[in-house]
Amino acid sequence: MSASADPIRYATVDAVLLALGKDPDPDPAAGGHSEELLDRIKKRVASATQTWINRTGRAFHPVRVGAVDEPRSWEVHDVQDARSWSPAKVIVDNPRPLPFDPTEGDTIEIRSGRNQWDDVTDEEGDAWSMDYRRRRLRVFERRLAITRRDDPNTSFVRLTYRYGPLGEEVQINADNVVTSVPPDVSEAIAAKAATQLALDDELRRSVDDDGQLTSSSSKRSALQESWEDTVADYTGFSTL
């Protein structure tokens, strides 16, 4: 795992430059790319990466739900969320939850009183269980202070956990780029970041026609289409 302070990204700066029709390794005598531009590219890639995760639910690195030290930010399920009772069953919000590991900060608490929550993270199989493939969480009633007849809006379980690739090796380089991301996803992220950058007037004027696209507008359209096509491949839904 990288110790870089940069946010996690699913595409490199070079990939975005190529998507914009720019040379990733320009002649130093010509001045090269400015640090300001490279920093903007990193920020756009980070934004596109988060957009990808939000749109598809497919994270290629462990992503945490909520802040470990702030229970108010955790995922919460109410009585009305239960698919069934005896035990209470809910579907966690994110696909591909990773096995709970207290050493990583994963925590699950169940309501044991009006304003009381008990940490039962170490009681998997006794107080709760998780079908990680179906993302189905079961909470056993004997530990709960509420029943199905309580106010439907009463929360009975809250948790912070990680989701992402299960049983797959995650490779992150020193620049915080996840290099184990599938190539089509990396290309889509680069295309999305390039589209956002190309909307900037100054950068748009500097994008050269590649000989196949008639204008910067058509270039942006092609980049956006590449992004949407890949999102559709992973979700089965496209906005195009």
Side-chain angles (χ1 to χ4, degrees):
M1 185 69 69
S2 169
S4 172
D6 289 331
I8 286 286
R9 303 186 303 283
Y10 286 177
T12 64
V13 169
D14 285 357
V16 177
L17 289 169
L18 286 171
L20 289 167
K22 290 181 169 294
D23 184 354
D25 190 22
D27 184 351
H33 299 302
S34 70
E35 287 299 322
E36 187 269 341
L37 172 60
L38 299 179
D39 184 61
R40 287 177 55 230
I41 290 176
K42 285 186 177 183
K43 290 179 180 178
R44 289 298 191 181
V45 175
S47 174
T49 297
Q50 190 58 54
T51 299
W52 168 270
I53 294 171
N54 293 342
R55 280 276 302 273
T56 69
R58 292 296 302 273
F60 294 97
H61 75 292
V63 176
R64 174 157 302 283
V65 176
V68 173
D69 58 354
E70 183 46 78
R72 288 178 297 180
S73 68
W74 296 2
E75 182 176 317
V76 178
H77 291 279
D78 302 335
V79 170
Q80 62 187 344
D81 295 331
R83 299 290 185 93
S84 62
W85 214 261
S86 299
K89 297 178 183 177
V90 296
I91 303 299
V92 298
D93 292 343
N94 296 282
R96 302 196 297 172
L98 298 176
F100 269 68
D101 184 350
T103 65
E104 292 287 344
D106 301 332
T107 308
I108 178 169
E109 296 181 348
I110 58 177
R111 185 183 293 279
S112 57
R114 181 179 178 85
N115 296 305
Q116 182 177 349
W117 293 84
D118 287 352
D119 184 340
V120 295
T121 311
D122 291 329
E123 299 180 47
E124 185 170 8
D126 180 29
W128 62 279
S129 67
M130 175 82 83
D131 182 332
Y132 291 98
R133 185 171 64 86
R134 294 185 174 90
R135 72 191 213 211
R136 184 179 299 161
L137 171 65
R138 300 193 305 167
V139 180
F140 300 113
E141 284 181 285
R142 63 181 179 274
R143 296 298 305 274
L144 291 172
I146 63 172
T147 71
R148 71 175 78 188
R149 293 178 293 278
D150 281 291
D151 183 340
N153 294 311
T154 302
S155 55
F156 69 91
V157 61
R158 63 186 185 186
L159 59 160
T160 175
Y161 61 98
R162 297 158 299 131
Y163 67 96
L166 181 61
E168 303 172 23
E169 183 179 2
V170 177
Q171 299 174 350
I172 304 176
N173 68 18
D175 199 33
N176 253 11
V177 175
V178 183
T179 58
S180 50
V181 170
D184 59 338
V185 174
S186 182
E187 291 172 7
I189 298 293
K192 181 65 171 177
T195 301
Q196 294 171 320
L197 285 161
L199 291 174
D200 178 86
D201 288 340
E202 179 181 350
L203 185 58
R204 185 167 64 241
R205 288 194 299 269
S206 71
V207 175
D208 295 327
D209 188 0
D210 62 5
Q212 296 178 333
L213 301 175
T214 59
S215 68
S216 58
S217 177
S218 59
K219 178 182 284 290
R220 291 197 306 276
S221 295
L223 291 169
Q224 183 66 19
E225 183 175 354
S226 173
W227 158 264
E228 293 291 350
D229 285 348
T230 307
V231 168
D233 287 343
Y234 281 79
T235 64
F237 175 78
S238 175
T239 58
L240 290 179

mmCIF file of all heavy atoms in Angstrom, residues 68-104:
data_model
loop_
_atom_site.group_PDB
_atom_site.id
_atom_site.type_symbol
_atom_site.label_atom_id
_atom_site.label_comp_id
_atom_site.label_asym_id
_atom_site.label_seq_id
_atom_site.Cartn_x
_atom_site.Cartn_y
_atom_site.Cartn_z
ATOM 1 N N VAL A 68 -14.093 5.450 10.761
ATOM 2 C CA VAL A 68 -14.009 4.504 11.873
ATOM 3 C C VAL A 68 -14.341 5.161 13.209
ATOM 4 O O VAL A 68 -15.041 4.581 14.042
ATOM 5 C CB VAL A 68 -12.602 3.864 11.928
ATOM 6 C CG1 VAL A 68 -12.449 3.011 13.182
ATOM 7 C CG2 VAL A 68 -12.358 3.014 10.682
ATOM 8 N N ASP A 69 -13.850 6.378 13.415
ATOM 9 C CA ASP A 69 -14.015 7.037 14.716
ATOM 10 C C ASP A 69 -15.246 7.937 14.789
ATOM 11 O O ASP A 69 -15.381 8.725 15.726
ATOM 12 C CB ASP A 69 -12.765 7.847 15.063
ATOM 13 C CG ASP A 69 -12.442 8.897 14.006
ATOM 14 O OD1 ASP A 69 -13.115 8.911 12.959
ATOM 15 O OD2 ASP A 69 -11.506 9.697 14.225
ATOM 16 N N GLU A 70 -16.164 7.814 13.810
ATOM 17 C CA GLU A 70 -17.361 8.651 13.816
ATOM 18 C C GLU A 70 -18.594 7.813 13.463
ATOM 19 O O GLU A 70 -18.996 7.735 12.299
ATOM 20 C CB GLU A 70 -17.200 9.808 12.821
ATOM 21 C CG GLU A 70 -18.371 10.789 12.811
ATOM 22 C CD GLU A 70 -18.811 11.186 14.199
ATOM 23 O OE1 GLU A 70 -18.134 12.026 14.814
ATOM 24 O OE2 GLU A 70 -19.821 10.631 14.674
ATOM 25 N N PRO A 71 -19.204 7.162 14.463
ATOM 26 C CA PRO A 71 -20.359 6.289 14.203
ATOM 27 C C PRO A 71 -21.509 6.962 13.467
ATOM 28 O O PRO A 71 -22.279 6.289 12.776
ATOM 29 C CB PRO A 71 -20.783 5.851 15.615
ATOM 30 C CG PRO A 71 -19.522 5.919 16.418
ATOM 31 C CD PRO A 71 -18.793 7.128 15.876
ATOM 32 N N ARG A 72 -21.627 8.290 13.591
ATOM 33 C CA ARG A 72 -22.716 8.975 12.896
ATOM 34 C C ARG A 72 -22.562 8.910 11.380
ATOM 35 O O ARG A 72 -23.523 9.160 10.649
ATOM 36 C CB ARG A 72 -22.797 10.432 13.353
ATOM 37 C CG ARG A 72 -23.341 10.610 14.772
ATOM 38 C CD ARG A 72 -23.358 12.063 15.193
ATOM 39 N NE ARG A 72 -22.014 12.630 15.236
ATOM 40 C CZ ARG A 72 -21.744 13.883 15.579
ATOM 41 N NH1 ARG A 72 -22.730 14.707 15.891
ATOM 42 N NH2 ARG A 72 -20.492 14.317 15.605
ATOM 43 N N SER A 73 -21.360 8.563 10.918
ATOM 44 C CA SER A 73 -21.128 8.467 9.475
ATOM 45 C C SER A 73 -21.294 7.036 8.956
ATOM 46 O O SER A 73 -21.181 6.797 7.756
ATOM 47 C CB SER A 73 -19.713 8.970 9.137
ATOM 48 O OG SER A 73 -18.718 8.084 9.650
ATOM 49 N N TRP A 74 -21.575 6.090 9.843
ATOM 50 C CA TRP A 74 -21.654 4.692 9.447
ATOM 51 C C TRP A 74 -22.951 4.387 8.700
ATOM 52 O O TRP A 74 -23.916 5.152 8.746
ATOM 53 C CB TRP A 74 -21.576 3.785 10.676
ATOM 54 C CG TRP A 74 -20.277 3.864 11.424
ATOM 55 C CD1 TRP A 74 -19.204 4.670 11.146
ATOM 56 C CD2 TRP A 74 -19.930 3.129 12.597
ATOM 57 N NE1 TRP A 74 -18.205 4.473 12.064
ATOM 58 C CE2 TRP A 74 -18.619 3.534 12.967
ATOM 59 C CE3 TRP A 74 -20.583 2.170 13.363
ATOM 60 C CZ2 TRP A 74 -17.965 3.002 14.073
ATOM 61 C CZ3 TRP A 74 -19.934 1.636 14.469
ATOM 62 C CH2 TRP A 74 -18.637 2.047 14.816
ATOM 63 N N GLU A 75 -22.958 3.247 8.046
ATOM 64 C CA GLU A 75 -24.182 2.748 7.413
ATOM 65 C C GLU A 75 -25.132 2.269 8.511
ATOM 66 O O GLU A 75 -24.727 1.557 9.427
ATOM 67 C CB GLU A 75 -23.839 1.598 6.468
ATOM 68 C CG GLU A 75 -25.020 1.029 5.712
ATOM 69 C CD GLU A 75 -24.594 -0.049 4.724
ATOM 70 O OE1 GLU A 75 -23.571 0.153 4.019
ATOM 71 O OE2 GLU A 75 -25.263 -1.089 4.667
ATOM 72 N N VAL A 76 -26.389 2.674 8.409
ATOM 73 C CA VAL A 76 -27.382 2.345 9.432
ATOM 74 C C VAL A 76 -28.583 1.674 8.778
ATOM 75 O O VAL A 76 -29.009 2.058 7.683
ATOM 76 C CB VAL A 76 -27.847 3.619 10.181
ATOM 77 C CG1 VAL A 76 -28.920 3.274 11.206
ATOM 78 C CG2 VAL A 76 -26.669 4.300 10.857
ATOM 79 N N HIS A 77 -29.140 0.676 9.463
ATOM 80 C CA HIS A 77 -30.346 0.015 8.969
ATOM 81 C C HIS A 77 -31.439 0.079 10.026
ATOM 82 O O HIS A 77 -31.198 -0.176 11.207
ATOM 83 C CB HIS A 77 -30.047 -1.437 8.588
ATOM 84 C CG HIS A 77 -29.169 -1.547 7.376
ATOM 85 N ND1 HIS A 77 -29.674 -1.438 6.098
ATOM 86 C CD2 HIS A 77 -27.828 -1.709 7.254
ATOM 87 C CE1 HIS A 77 -28.673 -1.548 5.232
ATOM 88 N NE2 HIS A 77 -27.547 -1.701 5.907
ATOM 89 N N ASP A 78 -32.645 0.441 9.556
ATOM 90 C CA ASP A 78 -33.807 0.567 10.427
ATOM 91 C C ASP A 78 -34.644 -0.705 10.382
ATOM 92 O O ASP A 78 -34.439 -1.589 9.537
ATOM 93 C CB ASP A 78 -34.681 1.747 9.987
ATOM 94 C CG ASP A 78 -33.915 3.067 9.992
ATOM 95 O OD1 ASP A 78 -32.927 3.166 10.747
ATOM 96 O OD2 ASP A 78 -34.307 3.971 9.236
ATOM 97 N N VAL A 79 -35.624 -0.758 11.274
ATOM 98 C CA VAL A 79 -36.543 -1.898 11.312
ATOM 99 C C VAL A 79 -37.182 -2.120 9.943
ATOM 100 O O VAL A 79 -37.322 -3.252 9.470
ATOM 101 C CB VAL A 79 -37.624 -1.668 12.390
ATOM 102 C CG1 VAL A 79 -38.728 -2.717 12.278
ATOM 103 C CG2 VAL A 79 -37.003 -1.703 13.785
ATOM 104 N N GLN A 80 -37.558 -1.030 9.273
ATOM 105 C CA GLN A 80 -38.232 -1.155 7.982
ATOM 106 C C GLN A 80 -37.318 -1.706 6.884
ATOM 107 O O GLN A 80 -37.792 -2.133 5.829
ATOM 108 C CB GLN A 80 -38.785 0.198 7.549
ATOM 109 C CG GLN A 80 -37.727 1.264 7.334
ATOM 110 C CD GLN A 80 -38.326 2.631 7.081
ATOM 111 O OE1 GLN A 80 -39.506 2.747 6.768
ATOM 112 N NE2 GLN A 80 -37.521 3.671 7.221
ATOM 113 N N ASP A 81 -35.996 -1.689 7.109
ATOM 114 C CA ASP A 81 -35.061 -2.213 6.115
ATOM 115 C C ASP A 81 -34.979 -3.735 6.131
ATOM 116 O O ASP A 81 -34.473 -4.344 5.180
ATOM 117 C CB ASP A 81 -33.650 -1.656 6.357
ATOM 118 C CG ASP A 81 -33.569 -0.157 6.148
ATOM 119 O OD1 ASP A 81 -34.352 0.364 5.333
ATOM 120 O OD2 ASP A 81 -32.732 0.491 6.801
ATOM 121 N N ALA A 82 -35.448 -4.351 7.211
ATOM 122 C CA ALA A 82 -35.297 -5.800 7.357
ATOM 123 C C ALA A 82 -36.122 -6.542 6.308
ATOM 124 O O ALA A 82 -37.324 -6.310 6.165
ATOM 125 C CB ALA A 82 -35.710 -6.228 8.761
ATOM 126 N N ARG A 83 -35.457 -7.423 5.563
ATOM 127 C CA ARG A 83 -36.147 -8.242 4.575
ATOM 128 C C ARG A 83 -36.990 -9.315 5.260
ATOM 129 O O ARG A 83 -37.987 -9.780 4.709
ATOM 130 C CB ARG A 83 -35.129 -8.907 3.643
ATOM 131 C CG ARG A 83 -34.266 -7.937 2.844
ATOM 132 C CD ARG A 83 -35.096 -7.230 1.790
ATOM 133 N NE ARG A 83 -34.280 -6.392 0.932
ATOM 134 C CZ ARG A 83 -33.747 -6.791 -0.229
ATOM 135 N NH1 ARG A 83 -33.927 -8.041 -0.648
ATOM 136 N NH2 ARG A 83 -33.040 -5.957 -0.961
ATOM 137 N N SER A 84 -36.547 -9.726 6.423
ATOM 138 C CA SER A 84 -37.271 -10.722 7.211
ATOM 139 C C SER A 84 -36.796 -10.594 8.652
ATOM 140 O O SER A 84 -35.882 -9.834 8.951
ATOM 141 C CB SER A 84 -37.020 -12.134 6.670
ATOM 142 O OG SER A 84 -35.643 -12.469 6.772
ATOM 143 N N TRP A 85 -37.443 -11.334 9.540
ATOM 144 C CA TRP A 85 -37.083 -11.293 10.955
ATOM 145 C C TRP A 85 -36.863 -12.730 11.419
ATOM 146 O O TRP A 85 -37.286 -13.669 10.766
ATOM 147 C CB TRP A 85 -38.201 -10.617 11.748
ATOM 148 C CG TRP A 85 -37.708 -9.813 12.916
ATOM 149 C CD1 TRP A 85 -37.678 -10.212 14.212
ATOM 150 C CD2 TRP A 85 -37.174 -8.486 12.890
ATOM 151 N NE1 TRP A 85 -37.154 -9.217 14.997
ATOM 152 C CE2 TRP A 85 -36.838 -8.150 14.224
ATOM 153 C CE3 TRP A 85 -36.938 -7.554 11.882
ATOM 154 C CZ2 TRP A 85 -36.285 -6.920 14.572
ATOM 155 C CZ3 TRP A 85 -36.395 -6.340 12.222
ATOM 156 C CH2 TRP A 85 -36.069 -6.019 13.548
ATOM 157 N N SER A 86 -36.205 -12.890 12.545
ATOM 158 C CA SER A 86 -35.895 -14.226 13.107
ATOM 159 C C SER A 86 -34.933 -15.016 12.224
ATOM 160 O O SER A 86 -35.277 -16.097 11.738
ATOM 161 C CB SER A 86 -37.171 -15.041 13.326
ATOM 162 O OG SER A 86 -38.029 -14.417 14.233
ATOM 163 N N PRO A 87 -33.713 -14.598 12.006
ATOM 164 C CA PRO A 87 -33.111 -13.344 12.472
ATOM 165 C C PRO A 87 -33.463 -12.171 11.552
ATOM 166 O O PRO A 87 -34.016 -12.369 10.471
ATOM 167 C CB PRO A 87 -31.616 -13.655 12.408
ATOM 168 C CG PRO A 87 -31.505 -14.589 11.248
ATOM 169 C CD PRO A 87 -32.743 -15.448 11.305
ATOM 170 N N ALA A 88 -33.106 -10.965 12.002
ATOM 171 C CA ALA A 88 -33.321 -9.779 11.173
ATOM 172 C C ALA A 88 -32.300 -9.794 10.036
ATOM 173 O O ALA A 88 -31.103 -9.924 10.275
ATOM 174 C CB ALA A 88 -33.156 -8.522 12.019
ATOM 175 N N LYS A 89 -32.795 -9.671 8.801
ATOM 176 C CA LYS A 89 -31.911 -9.727 7.639
ATOM 177 C C LYS A 89 -31.994 -8.426 6.856
ATOM 178 O O LYS A 89 -33.081 -7.944 6.561
ATOM 179 C CB LYS A 89 -32.301 -10.887 6.718
ATOM 180 C CG LYS A 89 -32.167 -12.262 7.337
ATOM 181 C CD LYS A 89 -32.620 -13.334 6.356
ATOM 182 C CE LYS A 89 -32.570 -14.718 6.983
ATOM 183 N NZ LYS A 89 -33.072 -15.765 6.051
ATOM 184 N N VAL A 90 -30.837 -7.865 6.521
ATOM 185 C CA VAL A 90 -30.774 -6.673 5.683
ATOM 186 C C VAL A 90 -29.709 -6.884 4.620
ATOM 187 O O VAL A 90 -28.824 -7.728 4.762
ATOM 188 C CB VAL A 90 -30.447 -5.399 6.503
ATOM 189 C CG1 VAL A 90 -31.546 -5.101 7.501
ATOM 190 C CG2 VAL A 90 -29.098 -5.528 7.196
ATOM 191 N N ILE A 91 -29.812 -6.107 3.551
ATOM 192 C CA ILE A 91 -28.807 -6.119 2.493
ATOM 193 C C ILE A 91 -27.952 -4.868 2.665
ATOM 194 O O ILE A 91 -28.475 -3.746 2.654
ATOM 195 C CB ILE A 91 -29.456 -6.121 1.096
ATOM 196 C CG1 ILE A 91 -30.400 -7.315 0.944
ATOM 197 C CG2 ILE A 91 -28.384 -6.141 0.016
ATOM 198 C CD1 ILE A 91 -29.729 -8.660 1.071
ATOM 199 N N VAL A 92 -26.651 -5.049 2.847
ATOM 200 C CA VAL A 92 -25.788 -3.882 3.010
ATOM 201 C C VAL A 92 -25.747 -3.101 1.702
ATOM 202 O O VAL A 92 -25.996 -3.642 0.616
ATOM 203 C CB VAL A 92 -24.369 -4.275 3.471
ATOM 204 C CG1 VAL A 92 -24.424 -4.950 4.838
ATOM 205 C CG2 VAL A 92 -23.675 -5.166 2.453
ATOM 206 N N ASP A 93 -25.442 -1.819 1.813
ATOM 207 C CA ASP A 93 -25.607 -0.905 0.687
ATOM 208 C C ASP A 93 -24.641 -1.142 -0.467
ATOM 209 O O ASP A 93 -24.966 -0.838 -1.618
ATOM 210 C CB ASP A 93 -25.437 0.544 1.160
ATOM 211 C CG ASP A 93 -26.559 0.988 2.081
ATOM 212 O OD1 ASP A 93 -27.611 0.319 2.112
ATOM 213 O OD2 ASP A 93 -26.376 2.012 2.776
ATOM 214 N N ASN A 94 -23.455 -1.647 -0.176
ATOM 215 C CA ASN A 94 -22.424 -1.718 -1.201
ATOM 216 C C ASN A 94 -22.099 -3.152 -1.601
ATOM 217 O O ASN A 94 -22.032 -4.040 -0.746
ATOM 218 C CB ASN A 94 -21.150 -1.029 -0.708
ATOM 219 C CG ASN A 94 -21.369 0.447 -0.470
ATOM 220 O OD1 ASN A 94 -21.402 1.240 -1.398
ATOM 221 N ND2 ASN A 94 -21.559 0.830 0.793
ATOM 222 N N PRO A 95 -21.888 -3.388 -2.902
ATOM 223 C CA PRO A 95 -21.555 -4.734 -3.360
ATOM 224 C C PRO A 95 -20.146 -5.142 -2.954
ATOM 225 O O PRO A 95 -19.301 -4.294 -2.667
ATOM 226 C CB PRO A 95 -21.672 -4.625 -4.884
ATOM 227 C CG PRO A 95 -21.367 -3.189 -5.175
ATOM 228 C CD PRO A 95 -21.942 -2.425 -4.010
ATOM 229 N N ARG A 96 -19.919 -6.417 -2.912
ATOM 230 C CA ARG A 96 -18.615 -7.010 -2.618
ATOM 231 C C ARG A 96 -18.027 -6.539 -1.287
ATOM 232 O O ARG A 96 -16.892 -6.061 -1.224
ATOM 233 C CB ARG A 96 -17.639 -6.744 -3.768
ATOM 234 C CG ARG A 96 -18.119 -7.279 -5.109
ATOM 235 C CD ARG A 96 -17.002 -7.348 -6.114
ATOM 236 N NE ARG A 96 -16.455 -6.040 -6.422
ATOM 237 C CZ ARG A 96 -15.368 -5.844 -7.165
ATOM 238 N NH1 ARG A 96 -14.714 -6.868 -7.650
ATOM 239 N NH2 ARG A 96 -14.938 -4.630 -7.420
ATOM 240 N N PRO A 97 -18.808 -6.658 -0.185
ATOM 241 C CA PRO A 97 -18.229 -6.325 1.123
ATOM 242 C C PRO A 97 -17.083 -7.277 1.440
ATOM 243 O O PRO A 97 -17.144 -8.471 1.133
ATOM 244 C CB PRO A 97 -19.402 -6.511 2.088
ATOM 245 C CG PRO A 97 -20.309 -7.484 1.403
ATOM 246 C CD PRO A 97 -20.183 -7.176 -0.062
ATOM 247 N N LEU A 98 -16.048 -6.747 2.052
ATOM 248 C CA LEU A 98 -14.897 -7.564 2.425
ATOM 249 C C LEU A 98 -15.123 -8.169 3.810
ATOM 250 O O LEU A 98 -15.830 -7.589 4.641
ATOM 251 C CB LEU A 98 -13.631 -6.714 2.423
ATOM 252 C CG LEU A 98 -13.240 -6.110 1.071
ATOM 253 C CD1 LEU A 98 -12.012 -5.215 1.226
ATOM 254 C CD2 LEU A 98 -12.975 -7.194 0.040
ATOM 255 N N PRO A 99 -14.538 -9.328 4.078
ATOM 256 C CA PRO A 99 -14.686 -9.941 5.404
ATOM 257 C C PRO A 99 -14.299 -8.964 6.516
ATOM 258 O O PRO A 99 -13.307 -8.244 6.404
ATOM 259 C CB PRO A 99 -13.719 -11.130 5.339
ATOM 260 C CG PRO A 99 -13.688 -11.497 3.887
ATOM 261 C CD PRO A 99 -13.756 -10.182 3.159
ATOM 262 N N PHE A 100 -15.111 -8.942 7.560
ATOM 263 C CA PHE A 100 -14.858 -8.026 8.669
ATOM 264 C C PHE A 100 -13.524 -8.340 9.332
ATOM 265 O O PHE A 100 -13.212 -9.491 9.617
ATOM 266 C CB PHE A 100 -15.985 -8.121 9.692
ATOM 267 C CG PHE A 100 -17.092 -7.141 9.447
ATOM 268 C CD1 PHE A 100 -17.916 -7.268 8.341
ATOM 269 C CD2 PHE A 100 -17.301 -6.077 10.313
ATOM 270 C CE1 PHE A 100 -18.933 -6.363 8.104
ATOM 271 C CE2 PHE A 100 -18.314 -5.162 10.083
ATOM 272 C CZ PHE A 100 -19.132 -5.303 8.975
ATOM 273 N N ASP A 101 -12.760 -7.287 9.578
ATOM 274 C CA ASP A 101 -11.459 -7.418 10.223
ATOM 275 C C ASP A 101 -11.313 -6.269 11.220
ATOM 276 O O ASP A 101 -11.070 -5.126 10.824
ATOM 277 C CB ASP A 101 -10.339 -7.371 9.184
ATOM 278 C CG ASP A 101 -8.963 -7.594 9.794
ATOM 279 O OD1 ASP A 101 -8.847 -7.600 11.036
ATOM 280 O OD2 ASP A 101 -7.996 -7.750 9.018
ATOM 281 N N PRO A 102 -11.480 -6.543 12.512
ATOM 282 C CA PRO A 102 -11.377 -5.479 13.519
ATOM 283 C C PRO A 102 -10.043 -4.742 13.480
ATOM 284 O O PRO A 102 -9.987 -3.552 13.805
ATOM 285 C CB PRO A 102 -11.556 -6.226 14.843
ATOM 286 C CG PRO A 102 -12.303 -7.471 14.482
ATOM 287 C CD PRO A 102 -11.802 -7.842 13.111
ATOM 288 N N THR A 103 -8.975 -5.420 13.061
ATOM 289 C CA THR A 103 -7.670 -4.759 13.020
ATOM 290 C C THR A 103 -7.616 -3.695 11.934
ATOM 291 O O THR A 103 -6.743 -2.824 11.948
ATOM 292 C CB THR A 103 -6.534 -5.779 12.791
ATOM 293 O OG1 THR A 103 -6.676 -6.376 11.490
ATOM 294 C CG2 THR A 103 -6.569 -6.865 13.849
ATOM 295 N N GLU A 104 -8.555 -3.765 10.970
ATOM 296 C CA GLU A 104 -8.633 -2.766 9.909
ATOM 297 C C GLU A 104 -9.620 -1.654 10.253
ATOM 298 O O GLU A 104 -9.809 -0.722 9.473
ATOM 299 C CB GLU A 104 -9.057 -3.430 8.592
ATOM 300 C CG GLU A 104 -8.022 -4.370 8.002
ATOM 301 C CD GLU A 104 -6.846 -3.619 7.407
ATOM 302 O OE1 GLU A 104 -6.965 -2.393 7.175
ATOM 303 O OE2 GLU A 104 -5.802 -4.255 7.174
#
